Amino acid sequence: MAKLNKLYLRLAGIVLVILLFLSTGPFYIVNEGEQAVVTRFGQIVKSCTSTGLYFKVPFLDVVTFYPSLILSLEGDQARIPTKENQFIIVDTTSRWKISDPALFYQSFKTLDAAYNKLSDVIDSSTRTIITRNRLSEIVRSSNLINEEKNADSSQLAGIEGEDSAEIEALVNVNSNNESVAKGRSALCQEMADDARKMVGEYGIELIDIVPRQIKYSDELTESVYNRMIKERNQVAQAYRSLGEGKKSEWLGKLENEKRTIESEAYRKSEETKGRADAEAAAIYTKSYTRDPQFYEFWKSLESYKSTMGNFDVTYSTKMDYFKYLYSSDGKR
């Protein structure tokens, strides 16, 4: 019986020791999306990048957890000059992750310190790349706008088969759209490449840097708007000039056609009148030859009718002209 009691006491002691050991936290769990660094007296013992249950020395080892997911860093707005010394406001966002937790711990220990350092690096790289390039390279990603304007000018130049070179120059040259050699996407890649040179030694993998917003500064905004207004007015004036030219051309054609029609109508009317006069003369001649005396009498009456009303005074009627007026037989 005594031996059995001693056995129970030993088992109880063992259980108590185990419970005390477990209470000191000898194990730690690395969950999904986490990684850990184990330090002992400030020295890194090991790092864990895989999920699972791990052992540590109680009271001596300290476990620091870091996220293994992709993190984002929202940068502050920065006023940066371009190659032409035109100031723009740039607001970037970046994606990054901790690639080496041990090296990251040695460099920063906390995420806040890493954010501050990474923000400075990204800001420096952004300024470096932007100041080396023209404004058009930063705000545009392709030459699509130039291609569209070229298409518009080609269509304009092809109206009625005419070569409208002056308007084409207004649409393209006055727009001042420089060709893009790199574009915003390539510059973003350059920013990321430049920043990676400085953050690789910190156990950080920088995925990309993307301008979340690019806008003109206040003094540049007014200049850009004025230039855009001027360009649109020039293009509009070019279209108006072309329209006025087309209007004058069609009015000229219309006037020429009108004159042609009037000339043709006049020619046909004169021909018709000539034929009518000829037919009338033939009829008169035929009638005159049938009864010349009656024809003479009739013409005299027609003459009296048209002329007598214009005479205020008649001094003599002894003329052949009045022979039918004062003689019943038309004789003196």
Side-chain angles (χ1 to χ4, degrees), residues 100-117:
D100 189 337
L103 188 57
F104 182 86
Y105 180 86
Q106 290 178 350
S107 303
F108 304 112
K109 291 185 175 59
T110 64
L111 282 175
D112 290 338
Y115 275 120
N116 293 332
K117 182 62 177 180

PDB file of all heavy atoms in Angstrom, residues 100-117:
ATOM      1  N   ASP A 100      13.214  38.168 -45.757  1.00  0.00           N
ATOM      2  CA  ASP A 100      14.153  37.545 -44.813  1.00  0.00           C
ATOM      3  C   ASP A 100      13.864  38.092 -43.422  1.00  0.00           C
ATOM      4  O   ASP A 100      14.317  39.189 -43.062  1.00  0.00           O
ATOM      5  CB  ASP A 100      15.593  37.863 -45.227  1.00  0.00           C
ATOM      6  CG  ASP A 100      16.618  37.069 -44.422  1.00  0.00           C
ATOM      7  OD1 ASP A 100      16.270  36.631 -43.298  1.00  0.00           O
ATOM      8  OD2 ASP A 100      17.750  36.901 -44.903  1.00  0.00           O
ATOM      9  N   PRO A 101      13.082  37.358 -42.607  1.00  0.00           N
ATOM     10  CA  PRO A 101      12.704  37.900 -41.294  1.00  0.00           C
ATOM     11  C   PRO A 101      13.887  38.145 -40.368  1.00  0.00           C
ATOM     12  O   PRO A 101      13.865  39.090 -39.574  1.00  0.00           O
ATOM     13  CB  PRO A 101      11.762  36.837 -40.736  1.00  0.00           C
ATOM     14  CG  PRO A 101      12.070  35.590 -41.497  1.00  0.00           C
ATOM     15  CD  PRO A 101      12.506  36.036 -42.862  1.00  0.00           C
ATOM     16  N   ALA A 102      14.931  37.324 -40.458  1.00  0.00           N
ATOM     17  CA  ALA A 102      16.101  37.523 -39.590  1.00  0.00           C
ATOM     18  C   ALA A 102      16.803  38.828 -39.938  1.00  0.00           C
ATOM     19  O   ALA A 102      17.150  39.623 -39.048  1.00  0.00           O
ATOM     20  CB  ALA A 102      17.052  36.335 -39.721  1.00  0.00           C
ATOM     21  N   LEU A 103      17.017  39.056 -41.233  1.00  0.00           N
ATOM     22  CA  LEU A 103      17.667  40.296 -41.656  1.00  0.00           C
ATOM     23  C   LEU A 103      16.786  41.501 -41.364  1.00  0.00           C
ATOM     24  O   LEU A 103      17.274  42.581 -41.000  1.00  0.00           O
ATOM     25  CB  LEU A 103      17.981  40.205 -43.153  1.00  0.00           C
ATOM     26  CG  LEU A 103      18.823  41.323 -43.754  1.00  0.00           C
ATOM     27  CD1 LEU A 103      20.154  41.457 -43.023  1.00  0.00           C
ATOM     28  CD2 LEU A 103      19.058  41.069 -45.246  1.00  0.00           C
ATOM     29  N   PHE A 104      15.470  41.314 -41.532  1.00  0.00           N
ATOM     30  CA  PHE A 104      14.538  42.396 -41.225  1.00  0.00           C
ATOM     31  C   PHE A 104      14.602  42.758 -39.742  1.00  0.00           C
ATOM     32  O   PHE A 104      14.574  43.947 -39.378  1.00  0.00           O
ATOM     33  CB  PHE A 104      13.120  41.957 -41.613  1.00  0.00           C
ATOM     34  CG  PHE A 104      12.074  43.007 -41.400  1.00  0.00           C
ATOM     35  CD1 PHE A 104      11.812  43.953 -42.371  1.00  0.00           C
ATOM     36  CD2 PHE A 104      11.334  43.037 -40.220  1.00  0.00           C
ATOM     37  CE1 PHE A 104      10.832  44.930 -42.178  1.00  0.00           C
ATOM     38  CE2 PHE A 104      10.366  44.007 -40.010  1.00  0.00           C
ATOM     39  CZ  PHE A 104      10.115  44.951 -41.003  1.00  0.00           C
ATOM     40  N   TYR A 105      14.709  41.736 -38.877  1.00  0.00           N
ATOM     41  CA  TYR A 105      14.797  41.975 -37.438  1.00  0.00           C
ATOM     42  C   TYR A 105      16.073  42.732 -37.098  1.00  0.00           C
ATOM     43  O   TYR A 105      16.054  43.665 -36.271  1.00  0.00           O
ATOM     44  CB  TYR A 105      14.744  40.649 -36.680  1.00  0.00           C
ATOM     45  CG  TYR A 105      14.836  40.805 -35.183  1.00  0.00           C
ATOM     46  CD1 TYR A 105      13.692  41.035 -34.429  1.00  0.00           C
ATOM     47  CD2 TYR A 105      16.070  40.707 -34.532  1.00  0.00           C
ATOM     48  CE1 TYR A 105      13.786  41.179 -33.051  1.00  0.00           C
ATOM     49  CE2 TYR A 105      16.159  40.853 -33.153  1.00  0.00           C
ATOM     50  CZ  TYR A 105      15.010  41.092 -32.423  1.00  0.00           C
ATOM     51  OH  TYR A 105      15.097  41.249 -31.048  1.00  0.00           O
ATOM     52  N   GLN A 106      17.173  42.350 -37.723  1.00  0.00           N
ATOM     53  CA  GLN A 106      18.439  43.032 -37.468  1.00  0.00           C
ATOM     54  C   GLN A 106      18.381  44.497 -37.896  1.00  0.00           C
ATOM     55  O   GLN A 106      18.996  45.360 -37.270  1.00  0.00           O
ATOM     56  CB  GLN A 106      19.576  42.328 -38.212  1.00  0.00           C
ATOM     57  CG  GLN A 106      19.933  40.958 -37.654  1.00  0.00           C
ATOM     58  CD  GLN A 106      21.022  40.286 -38.457  1.00  0.00           C
ATOM     59  OE1 GLN A 106      21.388  40.759 -39.545  1.00  0.00           O
ATOM     60  NE2 GLN A 106      21.542  39.180 -37.938  1.00  0.00           N
ATOM     61  N   SER A 107      17.605  44.785 -38.978  1.00  0.00           N
ATOM     62  CA  SER A 107      17.577  46.144 -39.531  1.00  0.00           C
ATOM     63  C   SER A 107      16.576  47.043 -38.820  1.00  0.00           C
ATOM     64  O   SER A 107      16.863  48.225 -38.565  1.00  0.00           O
ATOM     65  CB  SER A 107      17.230  46.084 -41.030  1.00  0.00           C
ATOM     66  OG  SER A 107      18.153  45.272 -41.733  1.00  0.00           O
ATOM     67  N   PHE A 108      15.398  46.510 -38.500  1.00  0.00           N
ATOM     68  CA  PHE A 108      14.334  47.384 -37.994  1.00  0.00           C
ATOM     69  C   PHE A 108      13.716  46.919 -36.664  1.00  0.00           C
ATOM     70  O   PHE A 108      13.337  47.742 -35.850  1.00  0.00           O
ATOM     71  CB  PHE A 108      13.201  47.484 -39.033  1.00  0.00           C
ATOM     72  CG  PHE A 108      13.666  47.951 -40.371  1.00  0.00           C
ATOM     73  CD1 PHE A 108      13.663  47.098 -41.460  1.00  0.00           C
ATOM     74  CD2 PHE A 108      14.116  49.248 -40.546  1.00  0.00           C
ATOM     75  CE1 PHE A 108      14.083  47.532 -42.691  1.00  0.00           C
ATOM     76  CE2 PHE A 108      14.541  49.692 -41.780  1.00  0.00           C
ATOM     77  CZ  PHE A 108      14.532  48.829 -42.862  1.00  0.00           C
ATOM     78  N   LYS A 109      13.569  45.649 -36.489  1.00  0.00           N
ATOM     79  CA  LYS A 109      12.883  45.051 -35.340  1.00  0.00           C
ATOM     80  C   LYS A 109      11.366  45.270 -35.379  1.00  0.00           C
ATOM     81  O   LYS A 109      10.592  44.373 -35.107  1.00  0.00           O
ATOM     82  CB  LYS A 109      13.453  45.552 -34.011  1.00  0.00           C
ATOM     83  CG  LYS A 109      14.864  45.074 -33.725  1.00  0.00           C
ATOM     84  CD  LYS A 109      15.308  45.504 -32.349  1.00  0.00           C
ATOM     85  CE  LYS A 109      16.683  44.924 -32.000  1.00  0.00           C
ATOM     86  NZ  LYS A 109      17.722  45.341 -32.946  1.00  0.00           N
ATOM     87  N   THR A 110      10.894  46.502 -35.715  1.00  0.00           N
ATOM     88  CA  THR A 110       9.451  46.776 -35.732  1.00  0.00           C
ATOM     89  C   THR A 110       8.999  47.185 -37.133  1.00  0.00           C
ATOM     90  O   THR A 110       9.781  47.713 -37.938  1.00  0.00           O
ATOM     91  CB  THR A 110       9.087  47.886 -34.747  1.00  0.00           C
ATOM     92  OG1 THR A 110       9.717  49.106 -35.172  1.00  0.00           O
ATOM     93  CG2 THR A 110       9.544  47.528 -33.341  1.00  0.00           C
ATOM     94  N   LEU A 111       7.730  46.975 -37.381  1.00  0.00           N
ATOM     95  CA  LEU A 111       7.158  47.353 -38.679  1.00  0.00           C
ATOM     96  C   LEU A 111       7.123  48.866 -38.858  1.00  0.00           C
ATOM     97  O   LEU A 111       7.321  49.370 -39.968  1.00  0.00           O
ATOM     98  CB  LEU A 111       5.745  46.782 -38.813  1.00  0.00           C
ATOM     99  CG  LEU A 111       5.623  45.301 -39.165  1.00  0.00           C
ATOM    100  CD1 LEU A 111       4.163  44.869 -39.145  1.00  0.00           C
ATOM    101  CD2 LEU A 111       6.235  45.008 -40.533  1.00  0.00           C
ATOM    102  N   ASP A 112       6.884  49.589 -37.802  1.00  0.00           N
ATOM    103  CA  ASP A 112       6.821  51.049 -37.905  1.00  0.00           C
ATOM    104  C   ASP A 112       8.151  51.626 -38.385  1.00  0.00           C
ATOM    105  O   ASP A 112       8.185  52.531 -39.230  1.00  0.00           O
ATOM    106  CB  ASP A 112       6.450  51.657 -36.548  1.00  0.00           C
ATOM    107  CG  ASP A 112       5.004  51.363 -36.166  1.00  0.00           C
ATOM    108  OD1 ASP A 112       4.198  51.078 -37.091  1.00  0.00           O
ATOM    109  OD2 ASP A 112       4.691  51.401 -34.954  1.00  0.00           O
ATOM    110  N   ALA A 113       9.247  51.101 -37.850  1.00  0.00           N
ATOM    111  CA  ALA A 113      10.564  51.569 -38.292  1.00  0.00           C
ATOM    112  C   ALA A 113      10.798  51.231 -39.748  1.00  0.00           C
ATOM    113  O   ALA A 113      11.390  52.022 -40.507  1.00  0.00           O
ATOM    114  CB  ALA A 113      11.654  50.951 -37.416  1.00  0.00           C
ATOM    115  N   ALA A 114      10.313  50.059 -40.164  1.00  0.00           N
ATOM    116  CA  ALA A 114      10.469  49.665 -41.567  1.00  0.00           C
ATOM    117  C   ALA A 114       9.652  50.568 -42.487  1.00  0.00           C
ATOM    118  O   ALA A 114      10.108  50.949 -43.570  1.00  0.00           O
ATOM    119  CB  ALA A 114      10.044  48.209 -41.739  1.00  0.00           C
ATOM    120  N   TYR A 115       8.442  50.917 -42.061  1.00  0.00           N
ATOM    121  CA  TYR A 115       7.601  51.807 -42.856  1.00  0.00           C
ATOM    122  C   TYR A 115       8.274  53.167 -43.053  1.00  0.00           C
ATOM    123  O   TYR A 115       8.261  53.739 -44.148  1.00  0.00           O
ATOM    124  CB  TYR A 115       6.243  51.994 -42.184  1.00  0.00           C
ATOM    125  CG  TYR A 115       5.241  50.913 -42.511  1.00  0.00           C
ATOM    126  CD1 TYR A 115       4.686  50.123 -41.506  1.00  0.00           C
ATOM    127  CD2 TYR A 115       4.833  50.676 -43.829  1.00  0.00           C
ATOM    128  CE1 TYR A 115       3.772  49.127 -41.799  1.00  0.00           C
ATOM    129  CE2 TYR A 115       3.919  49.688 -44.124  1.00  0.00           C
ATOM    130  CZ  TYR A 115       3.386  48.911 -43.115  1.00  0.00           C
ATOM    131  OH  TYR A 115       2.482  47.938 -43.413  1.00  0.00           O
ATOM    132  N   ASN A 116       8.863  53.690 -41.991  1.00  0.00           N
ATOM    133  CA  ASN A 116       9.522  54.996 -42.084  1.00  0.00           C
ATOM    134  C   ASN A 116      10.701  54.958 -43.046  1.00  0.00           C
ATOM    135  O   ASN A 116      10.873  55.847 -43.885  1.00  0.00           O
ATOM    136  CB  ASN A 116       9.989  55.452 -40.702  1.00  0.00           C
ATOM    137  CG  ASN A 116       8.829  55.760 -39.776  1.00  0.00           C
ATOM    138  OD1 ASN A 116       7.752  56.131 -40.228  1.00  0.00           O
ATOM    139  ND2 ASN A 116       9.040  55.590 -38.471  1.00  0.00           N
ATOM    140  N   LYS A 117      11.519  53.907 -42.918  1.00  0.00           N
ATOM    141  CA  LYS A 117      12.681  53.787 -43.793  1.00  0.00           C
ATOM    142  C   LYS A 117      12.261  53.560 -45.238  1.00  0.00           C
ATOM    143  O   LYS A 117      12.795  54.187 -46.167  1.00  0.00           O
ATOM    144  CB  LYS A 117      13.568  52.628 -43.314  1.00  0.00           C
ATOM    145  CG  LYS A 117      14.835  52.441 -44.142  1.00  0.00           C
ATOM    146  CD  LYS A 117      15.731  53.663 -44.079  1.00  0.00           C
ATOM    147  CE  LYS A 117      17.030  53.446 -44.849  1.00  0.00           C
ATOM    148  NZ  LYS A 117      17.917  54.612 -44.794  1.00  0.00           N
TER     149      LYS A 117
END
